[in-house]
Amino acid sequence: MNKLFDSVGEMTSKALSLKQAGDEILRLNETLEKHIAERTQQLETQNKELIRRLCELEQFTYTTNHDLQEPLRTLIQFTQLIKENYAGKLDEDGNKYIEFISKAAIRLRLVVVVLLEYSLLGKESIKTMFDCNKVIDAVLSDLDDAIKGSNAKITVQELPTIIAFETEMRLLLQNLISNAIKYQNKGNVPEINLSFEENNNEWLFQISDNGIGIDEKYKDKIFILFERLHKRSDFAGTGIGLARCKKVVELHGGRIWVESVPGTGSTFKFTIPKSRL
Ligand code: ADP
């Protein structure tokens, strides 16, 4: 009989501790849910603040550059006038200085125009559904001279229909393909391949080339505005192409990066998250 009482006692205390454990789990769950809700709220507030600051910064870039255009135009016009009206009247140093001012002003105007274009990129764009094959056909037709001039062999996989910013996507593909044609050793025939993979939530595009390649240490730097790895005399350019590509990809909420073996070639990869209209 005593044994029976003992067993019942044991079972009751086990049931009690099970209940306590269950209550504890429920309590922990509630605490966890509260923490998650608070953290989500904090992140949403930080996100809104970040977007507000970004808009402010873009507005500032736009206004500053817009306002800089007028004085720059005046500077260029008047240096031109000095060059024309004082030809032969200035000594060698005078001519040299005017030439420096003129070249610097023209370079500055290019920077201003590029920054303006960059800050406006994607503004008021609307996502649409389009066939990437049509976009790539238009890109290849725009690059016809460069393709024929270099004998580039370009292969393109049958591409998907996606929802994205069409004009910006065209710009992105155009920049990557024209770089793949341009950054080649002299005499090398460019071989370029464009392919894609469909993943769960995103499209992964890849553009590979057999060009000069990029050293590991510059893999991030090349996406910064005005960063170039070469002298203008070796490869023409302004250093805006890849920064523009990064902005386009990030407008879509995607990522862009490069994998490369110097001397062998590079593969630029970017993702475009799937979205709805
Ligand atoms: P730009 O071509 O006007 O210099 P980009 O922003 O397009 O500007 O490119 C930045 C730098 O990245 C280039 O100066 C070049 O050194 C490097 N780069 C870009 N694309 C390639 C490529 N396909 N192969 C090798 N280097 C590249």
Side-chain angles (χ1 to χ4, degrees):
M1 198 57 159
N2 274 351
K3 265 193 184 161
L4 184 65
F5 280 137
D6 283 351
S7 311
V8 170
E10 212 175 291
M11 276 163 68
T12 317
S13 82
K14 267 191 186 155
L16 268 176
S17 55
L18 261 178
K19 178 161 180 345
Q20 274 166 354
D23 288 348
E24 184 61 9
I25 288 174
L26 274 180
R27 198 185 60 75
L28 283 175
N29 228 354
E30 271 168 22
T31 319
L32 193 65
E33 273 172 11
K34 212 171 124 216
H35 276 311
I36 292 174
E38 277 170 10
R39 191 73 192 118
T40 312
Q41 176 73 41
Q42 271 174 8
L43 284 175
E44 274 172 4
T45 316
Q46 281 171 3
N47 212 9
K48 275 190 195 142
E49 178 60 13
L50 213 62
I51 291 172
R52 191 187 64 75
R53 288 196 190 179
L54 210 65
C55 289
E56 251 178 38
L57 199 67
E58 288 211 332
Q59 187 58 37
F60 173 76
T61 316
Y62 176 78
T63 321
T64 319
N65 283 294
H66 196 264
D67 293 350
L68 274 177
Q69 286 203 329
E70 187 49 40
L72 257 175
R73 209 171 293 133
T74 312
L75 186 63
I76 291 169
Q77 269 169 6
F78 277 90
T79 24
Q80 190 57 33
L81 277 178
I82 295 177
K83 273 207 251 175
E84 284 166 17
N85 296 346
Y86 290 81
K89 293 182 194 155
L90 294 173
D91 64 8
E92 202 181 320
D93 277 350
N95 283 326
K96 211 160 66 187
Y97 299 154
I98 290 292
E99 201 51 42
F100 281 151
I101 298 175
S102 169
K103 281 197 176 141
I106 290 170
R107 223 174 30 244
L108 190 55
R109 184 174 57 184
L110 179 71
V111 170
V112 166
V113 169
V114 161
L115 277 176
L116 257 181
E117 185 227 318
Y118 180 79
S119 66
L120 288 176
L121 195 70
K123 257 201 164 42
E124 286 155 29
S125 289
I126 293 171
K127 282 188 183 171
T128 53
M129 185 185 285
F130 58 89
D131 178 359
C132 288
N133 295 295
K134 294 215 170 102
V135 172
I136 203 68
D137 284 349
V139 166
L140 296 181
S141 148
D142 283 349
L143 294 176
D144 197 44
D145 285 349
I147 295 172
K148 285 195 178 131
S150 61
N151 285 324
K153 289 188 197 114
I154 304 183
T155 47
V156 181
Q157 185 189 340
E158 182 74 16
L159 297 174
T161 289
I162 64 170
I163 294 169
F165 300 116
E166 184 172 352
T167 312
E168 285 75 12
M169 278 296 290
R170 178 169 165 171
L171 212 56
L172 166 63
L173 290 167
Q174 180 149 344
N175 271 291
L176 293 178
I177 295 177
S178 68
N179 275 352
I181 298 174
K182 180 166 67 169
Y183 291 104
Q184 294 280 343
N185 282 317
K186 272 210 166 61
N188 204 35
V189 174
E191 283 176 23
I192 299 159
N193 181 261
L194 168 58
S195 60
F196 83 97
E197 272 172 32
E198 178 173 4
N199 295 330
N200 272 351
N201 304 315
E202 60 186 22
W203 305 99
L204 168 68
F205 290 85
Q206 313 193 34
I207 295 175
S208 66
D209 65 52
N210 59 339
I212 57 172
I214 298 161
D215 198 310
E216 178 76 19
K217 63 176 181 271
Y218 299 123
K219 268 173 43 185
D220 296 324
K221 199 175 166 191
I222 52 171
F223 292 99
I224 299 172
L225 199 57
F226 300 128
E227 284 289 351
R228 307 200 67 230
L229 306 183
H230 305 278
K231 287 190 284 187
R232 263 188 201 92
S233 50
D234 294 336
F235 293 100
T238 54
I240 185 196
L242 289 180
R244 195 194 273 140
C245 291
K246 186 164 190 273
K247 186 165 178 190
V248 169
V249 171
E250 286 175 355
L251 271 175
H252 289 89
R255 293 162 292 124
I256 183 166
W257 69 100
V258 66
E259 290 166 9
S260 181
V261 180
T264 303
S266 313
T267 302
F268 281 84
K269 300 189 179 187
F270 66 88
T271 59
I272 299 292
K274 291 183 182 172
S275 62
R276 293 197 189 136
L277 281 179

